[in-house]
Amino acid sequence: MLEFEFDKYLVSGAYHWRQSSKHFFNYTLNVPLVSRYEDLIRLVPINASRVLDVGTGDGYLIYLLINKLKHSIINGIDSESTGLKLAKEQLLTKGITNINLEEQSVYELEYDSNLFDLVTMADVIEHLEHDEFAVKEISRVLKTNGVLLLSTPNRMSSGKWDKRHVHEYDAFELTKLLKGNFRQVEIIATWPMWMINLYRKRGKIRRIFQILCILGFNPFSFKTASPSQQYGQLIARCIK
């Protein structure tokens, strides 16, 4: 059962892969998107032997997880079949055929309790109608001391980041949601908004950001432990 109507993959295909490719002539390179993935992967515990990616979509984060955790069992789920089909196709081009991708609802995970060391959830929770149920289910399938890594847009007073978002969170509200099921919750903020506003102007300014990213410096990865309206992305690290 679909949690929400999601048409991005039907319209744009495997866009996370395309927009994350650091090829010099890739003018679609999405520098904030690359920052999101790099920041999440940096936080992945290297000893996580069993991993679940919730909201796998076209599978780009799964690919990064496979590259970091080469000997781990990694599962990916999504409620949207088009994304999963694209994920399988993209992973196959990388020679990855034995990954576990399934169409499932995050509200009713088809896994035993206390199974996973790590759950990742990249910009998914803002699309969910029933966030508390999702967080409770994720906590259930995590082992004691297991980790949830979650990213989501920081709610802006100026309006939603995307009309498809059911609910956007500020740091206080996100912490409150997560603390009900996790003994430790840390929130950091990235994407300085003054950079986002420059990036949105496109043209030469955006190209400068792209070149910096290709050269290995991503300015959107600047982090603070004091989230505010001055930052566009929130990343939560939660320990059960």
Side-chain angles (χ1 to χ4, degrees):
M1 182 177 180
L2 297 179
E3 282 87 2
F4 53 89
E5 186 176 342
F6 198 78
D7 61 359
K8 271 191 175 182
Y9 297 117
L10 288 171
V11 174
S12 303
Y15 69 96
H16 292 106
W17 294 77
R18 184 172 64 254
Q19 294 180 9
S20 297
S21 175
K22 293 183 183 180
H23 187 280
F24 186 80
F25 295 105
N26 179 18
Y27 294 95
T28 68
L29 176 63
N30 186 328
V31 184
L33 178 69
V34 172
S35 167
R36 176 203 301 163
Y37 285 130
E38 289 176 344
D39 291 338
L40 284 170
I41 287 295
R42 238 177 249 119
L43 293 171
V44 167
I46 197 66
N47 62 343
S49 62
R50 191 143 193 174
V51 180
L52 175 64
D53 181 44
V54 173
T56 289
D58 59 21
Y60 188 69
L61 181 55
I62 284 272
Y63 174 65
L64 298 180
L65 288 165
I66 291 168
N67 279 304
K68 180 163 184 176
L69 304 171
K70 298 184 184 299
H71 303 293
S72 301
I73 299 171
I74 300 176
N75 294 68
I77 69 156
D78 205 300
S79 62
E80 208 281 313
S81 59
T82 303
L84 290 175
K85 180 176 180 290
L86 291 169
K88 291 174 184 177
E89 291 172 354
Q90 292 297 316
L91 291 169
L92 186 60
T93 66
K94 301 295 183 180
I96 301 167
T97 59
N98 60 345
I99 199 70
N100 303 308
L101 300 178
E102 298 181 38
E103 189 172 348
Q104 284 192 36
S105 168
V106 68
Y107 305 136
E108 297 177 293
L109 294 173
E110 298 170 19
Y111 300 109
D112 293 336
S113 300
N114 306 307
L115 183 61
F116 295 100
D117 303 291
L118 171 68
V119 173
T120 56
M121 198 175 183
D123 278 38
V124 172
I125 198 163
E126 65 273 10
H127 293 282
L128 301 180
E129 292 279 0
H130 307 291
D131 51 5
E132 292 184 4
F133 291 118
V135 172
K136 185 175 181 180
E137 266 294 88
I138 289 169
S139 176
R140 179 185 67 78
V141 301
L142 273 169
K143 297 176 182 177
T144 301
N145 297 318
V147 176
L148 166 65
L149 296 178
L150 175 157
S151 68
T152 192
N154 189 16
R155 185 172 65 217
M156 296 284 116
S157 57
S158 55
K160 283 186 176 182
W161 286 83
D162 192 317
K163 65 181 181 180
R164 298 176 181 87
H165 294 172
V166 173
H167 183 79
E168 294 179 348
Y169 305 80
D170 60 24
F172 175 81
E173 188 177 10
L174 184 61
T175 301
K176 183 179 178 182
L177 170 67
L178 296 169
K179 274 196 169 179
N181 289 280
F182 293 90
R183 62 180 175 83
Q184 184 177 329
V185 176
E186 301 170 1
I187 306 283
I188 62 171
T190 64
W191 295 10
M193 284 304 299
W194 69 268
M195 289 187 193
I196 290 288
N197 292 331
L198 279 177
Y199 187 79
R200 284 171 170 164
K201 293 182 178 181
R202 301 179 179 271
K204 291 181 180 179
I205 293 176
R206 177 171 292 195
R207 188 59 182 154
I208 290 170
F209 279 112
Q210 290 175 333
I211 291 170
L212 288 172
C213 180
I214 291 165
L215 293 175
F217 172 70
N218 194 322
F220 288 97
S221 289
F222 181 86
K223 300 174 186 62
T224 178
S226 301
S228 70
Q229 290 271 294
Q230 302 304 310
Y231 298 88
Q233 179 94 160
L234 301 175
I235 296 178
R237 179 177 178 270
C238 313
I239 302 176
K240 181 178 173 182

PDB file of all heavy atoms in Angstrom, residues 100-127:
ATOM      1  N   ASN A 100      19.003  -7.059  -1.602  1.00  0.00           N
ATOM      2  CA  ASN A 100      17.619  -7.362  -1.230  1.00  0.00           C
ATOM      3  C   ASN A 100      16.768  -6.100  -1.296  1.00  0.00           C
ATOM      4  O   ASN A 100      16.820  -5.260  -0.398  1.00  0.00           O
ATOM      5  CB  ASN A 100      17.581  -7.945   0.183  1.00  0.00           C
ATOM      6  CG  ASN A 100      18.439  -9.181   0.314  1.00  0.00           C
ATOM      7  OD1 ASN A 100      18.320 -10.114  -0.475  1.00  0.00           O
ATOM      8  ND2 ASN A 100      19.332  -9.194   1.292  1.00  0.00           N
ATOM      9  N   LEU A 101      15.986  -5.951  -2.349  1.00  0.00           N
ATOM     10  CA  LEU A 101      15.100  -4.802  -2.521  1.00  0.00           C
ATOM     11  C   LEU A 101      13.664  -5.291  -2.531  1.00  0.00           C
ATOM     12  O   LEU A 101      13.318  -6.184  -3.303  1.00  0.00           O
ATOM     13  CB  LEU A 101      15.406  -4.068  -3.826  1.00  0.00           C
ATOM     14  CG  LEU A 101      16.816  -3.496  -3.989  1.00  0.00           C
ATOM     15  CD1 LEU A 101      16.966  -2.853  -5.359  1.00  0.00           C
ATOM     16  CD2 LEU A 101      17.123  -2.491  -2.893  1.00  0.00           C
ATOM     17  N   GLU A 102      12.820  -4.696  -1.683  1.00  0.00           N
ATOM     18  CA  GLU A 102      11.444  -5.166  -1.560  1.00  0.00           C
ATOM     19  C   GLU A 102      10.473  -3.997  -1.466  1.00  0.00           C
ATOM     20  O   GLU A 102      10.797  -2.948  -0.908  1.00  0.00           O
ATOM     21  CB  GLU A 102      11.285  -6.032  -0.307  1.00  0.00           C
ATOM     22  CG  GLU A 102      12.131  -7.292  -0.305  1.00  0.00           C
ATOM     23  CD  GLU A 102      11.901  -8.115   0.946  1.00  0.00           C
ATOM     24  OE1 GLU A 102      10.747  -8.173   1.403  1.00  0.00           O
ATOM     25  OE2 GLU A 102      12.873  -8.673   1.469  1.00  0.00           O
ATOM     26  N   GLU A 103       9.276  -4.216  -2.018  1.00  0.00           N
ATOM     27  CA  GLU A 103       8.198  -3.245  -1.874  1.00  0.00           C
ATOM     28  C   GLU A 103       7.501  -3.510  -0.540  1.00  0.00           C
ATOM     29  O   GLU A 103       6.863  -4.548  -0.352  1.00  0.00           O
ATOM     30  CB  GLU A 103       7.210  -3.368  -3.034  1.00  0.00           C
ATOM     31  CG  GLU A 103       6.176  -2.261  -3.066  1.00  0.00           C
ATOM     32  CD  GLU A 103       5.330  -2.280  -4.321  1.00  0.00           C
ATOM     33  OE1 GLU A 103       5.686  -3.002  -5.287  1.00  0.00           O
ATOM     34  OE2 GLU A 103       4.303  -1.571  -4.333  1.00  0.00           O
ATOM     35  N   GLN A 104       7.661  -2.589   0.384  1.00  0.00           N
ATOM     36  CA  GLN A 104       7.089  -2.715   1.729  1.00  0.00           C
ATOM     37  C   GLN A 104       6.642  -1.359   2.235  1.00  0.00           C
ATOM     38  O   GLN A 104       7.107  -0.313   1.782  1.00  0.00           O
ATOM     39  CB  GLN A 104       8.136  -3.265   2.719  1.00  0.00           C
ATOM     40  CG  GLN A 104       8.444  -4.725   2.631  1.00  0.00           C
ATOM     41  CD  GLN A 104       9.251  -5.191   3.836  1.00  0.00           C
ATOM     42  OE1 GLN A 104       9.057  -4.735   4.968  1.00  0.00           O
ATOM     43  NE2 GLN A 104      10.176  -6.111   3.594  1.00  0.00           N
ATOM     44  N   SER A 105       5.761  -1.388   3.230  1.00  0.00           N
ATOM     45  CA  SER A 105       5.346  -0.180   3.932  1.00  0.00           C
ATOM     46  C   SER A 105       6.199  -0.007   5.185  1.00  0.00           C
ATOM     47  O   SER A 105       6.399  -0.962   5.941  1.00  0.00           O
ATOM     48  CB  SER A 105       3.872  -0.277   4.330  1.00  0.00           C
ATOM     49  OG  SER A 105       3.544   0.762   5.243  1.00  0.00           O
ATOM     50  N   VAL A 106       6.669   1.196   5.412  1.00  0.00           N
ATOM     51  CA  VAL A 106       7.442   1.473   6.627  1.00  0.00           C
ATOM     52  C   VAL A 106       6.572   1.364   7.872  1.00  0.00           C
ATOM     53  O   VAL A 106       7.066   1.208   8.991  1.00  0.00           O
ATOM     54  CB  VAL A 106       8.101   2.869   6.545  1.00  0.00           C
ATOM     55  CG1 VAL A 106       7.054   3.971   6.590  1.00  0.00           C
ATOM     56  CG2 VAL A 106       9.135   3.064   7.660  1.00  0.00           C
ATOM     57  N   TYR A 107       5.257   1.389   7.684  1.00  0.00           N
ATOM     58  CA  TYR A 107       4.358   1.259   8.824  1.00  0.00           C
ATOM     59  C   TYR A 107       4.200  -0.185   9.293  1.00  0.00           C
ATOM     60  O   TYR A 107       3.753  -0.427  10.410  1.00  0.00           O
ATOM     61  CB  TYR A 107       2.966   1.812   8.479  1.00  0.00           C
ATOM     62  CG  TYR A 107       2.974   3.235   7.982  1.00  0.00           C
ATOM     63  CD1 TYR A 107       2.209   3.609   6.887  1.00  0.00           C
ATOM     64  CD2 TYR A 107       3.734   4.218   8.606  1.00  0.00           C
ATOM     65  CE1 TYR A 107       2.192   4.920   6.426  1.00  0.00           C
ATOM     66  CE2 TYR A 107       3.735   5.521   8.156  1.00  0.00           C
ATOM     67  CZ  TYR A 107       2.967   5.874   7.066  1.00  0.00           C
ATOM     68  OH  TYR A 107       2.964   7.172   6.615  1.00  0.00           O
ATOM     69  N   GLU A 108       4.541  -1.134   8.420  1.00  0.00           N
ATOM     70  CA  GLU A 108       4.436  -2.561   8.747  1.00  0.00           C
ATOM     71  C   GLU A 108       5.639  -3.291   8.160  1.00  0.00           C
ATOM     72  O   GLU A 108       5.518  -4.029   7.181  1.00  0.00           O
ATOM     73  CB  GLU A 108       3.134  -3.149   8.195  1.00  0.00           C
ATOM     74  CG  GLU A 108       1.883  -2.547   8.796  1.00  0.00           C
ATOM     75  CD  GLU A 108       0.617  -3.119   8.173  1.00  0.00           C
ATOM     76  OE1 GLU A 108       0.366  -2.874   6.983  1.00  0.00           O
ATOM     77  OE2 GLU A 108      -0.103  -3.830   8.905  1.00  0.00           O
ATOM     78  N   LEU A 109       6.788  -3.104   8.757  1.00  0.00           N
ATOM     79  CA  LEU A 109       8.015  -3.712   8.238  1.00  0.00           C
ATOM     80  C   LEU A 109       7.966  -5.227   8.410  1.00  0.00           C
ATOM     81  O   LEU A 109       7.651  -5.727   9.493  1.00  0.00           O
ATOM     82  CB  LEU A 109       9.234  -3.134   8.957  1.00  0.00           C
ATOM     83  CG  LEU A 109       9.498  -1.640   8.702  1.00  0.00           C
ATOM     84  CD1 LEU A 109      10.613  -1.138   9.591  1.00  0.00           C
ATOM     85  CD2 LEU A 109       9.818  -1.391   7.232  1.00  0.00           C
ATOM     86  N   GLU A 110       8.304  -5.931   7.350  1.00  0.00           N
ATOM     87  CA  GLU A 110       8.215  -7.395   7.356  1.00  0.00           C
ATOM     88  C   GLU A 110       9.535  -8.011   7.825  1.00  0.00           C
ATOM     89  O   GLU A 110      10.112  -8.877   7.162  1.00  0.00           O
ATOM     90  CB  GLU A 110       7.832  -7.876   5.952  1.00  0.00           C
ATOM     91  CG  GLU A 110       6.471  -7.360   5.506  1.00  0.00           C
ATOM     92  CD  GLU A 110       6.191  -7.621   4.043  1.00  0.00           C
ATOM     93  OE1 GLU A 110       6.866  -8.494   3.450  1.00  0.00           O
ATOM     94  OE2 GLU A 110       5.306  -6.951   3.484  1.00  0.00           O
ATOM     95  N   TYR A 111       9.998  -7.543   8.973  1.00  0.00           N
ATOM     96  CA  TYR A 111      11.247  -8.043   9.544  1.00  0.00           C
ATOM     97  C   TYR A 111      11.042  -8.312  11.032  1.00  0.00           C
ATOM     98  O   TYR A 111      10.200  -7.676  11.690  1.00  0.00           O
ATOM     99  CB  TYR A 111      12.374  -7.014   9.375  1.00  0.00           C
ATOM    100  CG  TYR A 111      12.679  -6.665   7.935  1.00  0.00           C
ATOM    101  CD1 TYR A 111      12.341  -5.421   7.419  1.00  0.00           C
ATOM    102  CD2 TYR A 111      13.308  -7.583   7.088  1.00  0.00           C
ATOM    103  CE1 TYR A 111      12.609  -5.094   6.098  1.00  0.00           C
ATOM    104  CE2 TYR A 111      13.582  -7.265   5.769  1.00  0.00           C
ATOM    105  CZ  TYR A 111      13.232  -6.026   5.286  1.00  0.00           C
ATOM    106  OH  TYR A 111      13.501  -5.706   3.971  1.00  0.00           O
ATOM    107  N   ASP A 112      11.868  -9.225  11.554  1.00  0.00           N
ATOM    108  CA  ASP A 112      11.833  -9.496  12.988  1.00  0.00           C
ATOM    109  C   ASP A 112      12.320  -8.288  13.773  1.00  0.00           C
ATOM    110  O   ASP A 112      13.071  -7.451  13.271  1.00  0.00           O
ATOM    111  CB  ASP A 112      12.725 -10.701  13.318  1.00  0.00           C
ATOM    112  CG  ASP A 112      12.193 -11.994  12.735  1.00  0.00           C
ATOM    113  OD1 ASP A 112      10.972 -12.070  12.479  1.00  0.00           O
ATOM    114  OD2 ASP A 112      13.003 -12.925  12.529  1.00  0.00           O
ATOM    115  N   SER A 113      11.924  -8.226  15.028  1.00  0.00           N
ATOM    116  CA  SER A 113      12.420  -7.181  15.919  1.00  0.00           C
ATOM    117  C   SER A 113      13.902  -7.410  16.220  1.00  0.00           C
ATOM    118  O   SER A 113      14.413  -8.524  16.116  1.00  0.00           O
ATOM    119  CB  SER A 113      11.622  -7.186  17.224  1.00  0.00           C
ATOM    120  OG  SER A 113      10.252  -6.943  16.984  1.00  0.00           O
ATOM    121  N   ASN A 114      14.590  -6.319  16.552  1.00  0.00           N
ATOM    122  CA  ASN A 114      15.997  -6.379  16.976  1.00  0.00           C
ATOM    123  C   ASN A 114      16.884  -7.057  15.929  1.00  0.00           C
ATOM    124  O   ASN A 114      17.738  -7.883  16.260  1.00  0.00           O
ATOM    125  CB  ASN A 114      16.123  -7.124  18.314  1.00  0.00           C
ATOM    126  CG  ASN A 114      15.229  -6.534  19.386  1.00  0.00           C
ATOM    127  OD1 ASN A 114      15.269  -5.322  19.640  1.00  0.00           O
ATOM    128  ND2 ASN A 114      14.397  -7.361  19.984  1.00  0.00           N
ATOM    129  N   LEU A 115      16.710  -6.685  14.662  1.00  0.00           N
ATOM    130  CA  LEU A 115      17.413  -7.355  13.574  1.00  0.00           C
ATOM    131  C   LEU A 115      18.563  -6.533  12.993  1.00  0.00           C
ATOM    132  O   LEU A 115      19.625  -7.076  12.679  1.00  0.00           O
ATOM    133  CB  LEU A 115      16.421  -7.681  12.452  1.00  0.00           C
ATOM    134  CG  LEU A 115      16.955  -8.448  11.248  1.00  0.00           C
ATOM    135  CD1 LEU A 115      17.487  -9.821  11.661  1.00  0.00           C
ATOM    136  CD2 LEU A 115      15.865  -8.587  10.182  1.00  0.00           C
ATOM    137  N   PHE A 116      18.374  -5.220  12.870  1.00  0.00           N
ATOM    138  CA  PHE A 116      19.328  -4.391  12.133  1.00  0.00           C
ATOM    139  C   PHE A 116      20.245  -3.591  13.061  1.00  0.00           C
ATOM    140  O   PHE A 116      19.839  -3.149  14.129  1.00  0.00           O
ATOM    141  CB  PHE A 116      18.588  -3.428  11.205  1.00  0.00           C
ATOM    142  CG  PHE A 116      17.824  -4.121  10.110  1.00  0.00           C
ATOM    143  CD1 PHE A 116      16.449  -4.317  10.216  1.00  0.00           C
ATOM    144  CD2 PHE A 116      18.475  -4.578   8.971  1.00  0.00           C
ATOM    145  CE1 PHE A 116      15.742  -4.957   9.212  1.00  0.00           C
ATOM    146  CE2 PHE A 116      17.769  -5.222   7.964  1.00  0.00           C
ATOM    147  CZ  PHE A 116      16.411  -5.407   8.083  1.00  0.00           C
ATOM    148  N   ASP A 117      21.486  -3.391  12.588  1.00  0.00           N
ATOM    149  CA  ASP A 117      22.436  -2.520  13.293  1.00  0.00           C
ATOM    150  C   ASP A 117      22.259  -1.066  12.889  1.00  0.00           C
ATOM    151  O   ASP A 117      22.585  -0.155  13.648  1.00  0.00           O
ATOM    152  CB  ASP A 117      23.879  -2.929  12.961  1.00  0.00           C
ATOM    153  CG  ASP A 117      24.162  -4.371  13.291  1.00  0.00           C
ATOM    154  OD1 ASP A 117      24.197  -4.695  14.490  1.00  0.00           O
ATOM    155  OD2 ASP A 117      24.338  -5.188  12.360  1.00  0.00           O
ATOM    156  N   LEU A 118      21.769  -0.850  11.671  1.00  0.00           N
ATOM    157  CA  LEU A 118      21.665   0.497  11.114  1.00  0.00           C
ATOM    158  C   LEU A 118      20.440   0.593  10.212  1.00  0.00           C
ATOM    159  O   LEU A 118      20.171  -0.311   9.421  1.00  0.00           O
ATOM    160  CB  LEU A 118      22.922   0.825  10.291  1.00  0.00           C
ATOM    161  CG  LEU A 118      22.893   2.101   9.456  1.00  0.00           C
ATOM    162  CD1 LEU A 118      22.887   3.338  10.355  1.00  0.00           C
ATOM    163  CD2 LEU A 118      24.086   2.150   8.500  1.00  0.00           C
ATOM    164  N   VAL A 119      19.705   1.694  10.354  1.00  0.00           N
ATOM    165  CA  VAL A 119      18.638   2.045   9.410  1.00  0.00           C
ATOM    166  C   VAL A 119      18.955   3.430   8.863  1.00  0.00           C
ATOM    167  O   VAL A 119      19.293   4.352   9.618  1.00  0.00           O
ATOM    168  CB  VAL A 119      17.250   2.051  10.072  1.00  0.00           C
ATOM    169  CG1 VAL A 119      16.192   2.579   9.098  1.00  0.00           C
ATOM    170  CG2 VAL A 119      16.868   0.646  10.547  1.00  0.00           C
ATOM    171  N   THR A 120      18.869   3.587   7.544  1.00  0.00           N
ATOM    172  CA  THR A 120      19.047   4.893   6.916  1.00  0.00           C
ATOM    173  C   THR A 120      17.729   5.335   6.296  1.00  0.00           C
ATOM    174  O   THR A 120      16.923   4.517   5.851  1.00  0.00           O
ATOM    175  CB  THR A 120      20.143   4.855   5.840  1.00  0.00           C
ATOM    176  OG1 THR A 120      19.834   3.839   4.873  1.00  0.00           O
ATOM    177  CG2 THR A 120      21.499   4.573   6.454  1.00  0.00           C
ATOM    178  N   MET A 121      17.548   6.653   6.247  1.00  0.00           N
ATOM    179  CA  MET A 121      16.278   7.206   5.779  1.00  0.00           C
ATOM    180  C   MET A 121      16.563   8.611   5.234  1.00  0.00           C
ATOM    181  O   MET A 121      16.545   9.597   5.981  1.00  0.00           O
ATOM    182  CB  MET A 121      15.292   7.248   6.943  1.00  0.00           C
ATOM    183  CG  MET A 121      13.850   7.378   6.570  1.00  0.00           C
ATOM    184  SD  MET A 121      12.841   7.256   8.084  1.00  0.00           S
ATOM    185  CE  MET A 121      11.202   7.342   7.386  1.00  0.00           C
ATOM    186  N   ALA A 122      16.876   8.695   3.955  1.00  0.00           N
ATOM    187  CA  ALA A 122      17.308   9.961   3.358  1.00  0.00           C
ATOM    188  C   ALA A 122      16.133  10.710   2.742  1.00  0.00           C
ATOM    189  O   ALA A 122      15.590  10.299   1.712  1.00  0.00           O
ATOM    190  CB  ALA A 122      18.382   9.704   2.307  1.00  0.00           C
ATOM    191  N   ASP A 123      15.736  11.799   3.386  1.00  0.00           N
ATOM    192  CA  ASP A 123      14.659  12.653   2.900  1.00  0.00           C
ATOM    193  C   ASP A 123      13.404  11.853   2.542  1.00  0.00           C
ATOM    194  O   ASP A 123      12.881  11.934   1.423  1.00  0.00           O
ATOM    195  CB  ASP A 123      15.144  13.485   1.710  1.00  0.00           C
ATOM    196  CG  ASP A 123      15.906  14.722   2.176  1.00  0.00           C
ATOM    197  OD1 ASP A 123      16.652  14.607   3.165  1.00  0.00           O
ATOM    198  OD2 ASP A 123      15.761  15.783   1.559  1.00  0.00           O
ATOM    199  N   VAL A 124      12.936  11.117   3.526  1.00  0.00           N
ATOM    200  CA  VAL A 124      11.731  10.294   3.377  1.00  0.00           C
ATOM    201  C   VAL A 124      10.643  10.741   4.343  1.00  0.00           C
ATOM    202  O   VAL A 124       9.471  10.842   3.965  1.00  0.00           O
ATOM    203  CB  VAL A 124      12.055   8.801   3.620  1.00  0.00           C
ATOM    204  CG1 VAL A 124      10.782   7.965   3.655  1.00  0.00           C
ATOM    205  CG2 VAL A 124      13.011   8.280   2.563  1.00  0.00           C
ATOM    206  N   ILE A 125      11.019  11.042   5.575  1.00  0.00           N
ATOM    207  CA  ILE A 125      10.017  11.235   6.627  1.00  0.00           C
ATOM    208  C   ILE A 125       9.079  12.392   6.328  1.00  0.00           C
ATOM    209  O   ILE A 125       7.902  12.383   6.727  1.00  0.00           O
ATOM    210  CB  ILE A 125      10.698  11.406   8.002  1.00  0.00           C
ATOM    211  CG1 ILE A 125       9.683  11.149   9.115  1.00  0.00           C
ATOM    212  CG2 ILE A 125      11.379  12.780   8.133  1.00  0.00           C
ATOM    213  CD1 ILE A 125      10.301  10.894  10.463  1.00  0.00           C
ATOM    214  N   GLU A 126       9.542  13.379   5.575  1.00  0.00           N
ATOM    215  CA  GLU A 126       8.687  14.525   5.246  1.00  0.00           C
ATOM    216  C   GLU A 126       7.554  14.146   4.282  1.00  0.00           C
ATOM    217  O   GLU A 126       6.619  14.917   4.087  1.00  0.00           O
ATOM    218  CB  GLU A 126       9.523  15.670   4.660  1.00  0.00           C
ATOM    219  CG  GLU A 126      10.173  15.382   3.331  1.00  0.00           C
ATOM    220  CD  GLU A 126      11.531  14.709   3.453  1.00  0.00           C
ATOM    221  OE1 GLU A 126      11.900  14.283   4.569  1.00  0.00           O
ATOM    222  OE2 GLU A 126      12.231  14.623   2.427  1.00  0.00           O
ATOM    223  N   HIS A 127       7.649  12.944   3.703  1.00  0.00           N
ATOM    224  CA  HIS A 127       6.610  12.468   2.784  1.00  0.00           C
ATOM    225  C   HIS A 127       5.552  11.599   3.470  1.00  0.00           C
ATOM    226  O   HIS A 127       4.587  11.189   2.811  1.00  0.00           O
ATOM    227  CB  HIS A 127       7.240  11.640   1.666  1.00  0.00           C
ATOM    228  CG  HIS A 127       8.114  12.426   0.744  1.00  0.00           C
ATOM    229  ND1 HIS A 127       7.619  13.229  -0.249  1.00  0.00           N
ATOM    230  CD2 HIS A 127       9.466  12.534   0.669  1.00  0.00           C
ATOM    231  CE1 HIS A 127       8.620  13.801  -0.911  1.00  0.00           C
ATOM    232  NE2 HIS A 127       9.747  13.392  -0.370  1.00  0.00           N
TER     233      HIS A 127
END
